[in-house]
Amino acid sequence: GEDAYPIAGFTYILLHGRQQDPEKGKALVGFLSWALSDGQKLTGALHYAPLPLEVALKARARLASVTGPDAKPLQ
């Protein structure tokens, strides 16, 4: 409404940097990659604000460091 004010806050996702199950790890990394890229296009219709580009880029860089049990990247 006109007299309302926005409520904002970050949601944090904590995950192990080395995923023990490579299939689940790949699925998780794939979903989070989508959420940080194409998924951002859906925020407006859901009345959410998209992440600032700088934040999304930092999150994607951290996500790229997630590995499987063999220490190989899951992306």
Side-chain angles (χ1 to χ4, degrees):
E2 289 182 25
D3 296 327
Y5 60 94
I7 298 173
F10 277 97
T11 297
Y12 294 89
I13 298 174
L14 303 176
L15 65 142
H16 287 280
R18 182 174 283 184
Q19 295 290 306
Q20 295 305 310
D21 184 326
E23 288 184 35
K24 288 181 182 178
K26 282 184 183 183
L28 178 60
V29 167
F31 170 72
L32 293 174
S33 293
W34 170 84
L36 292 167
S37 57
D38 290 341
Q40 293 294 299
K41 298 173 189 170
L42 303 174
T43 57
L46 298 170
H47 303 289
Y48 285 92
L51 290 172
L53 181 59
E54 181 180 334
V55 173
L57 291 174
K58 286 181 179 183
R60 292 192 75 176
R62 292 290 298 184
L63 195 57
S65 70
V66 176
T67 66
D70 58 0
K72 293 182 181 175
L74 291 177
Q75 275 192 322

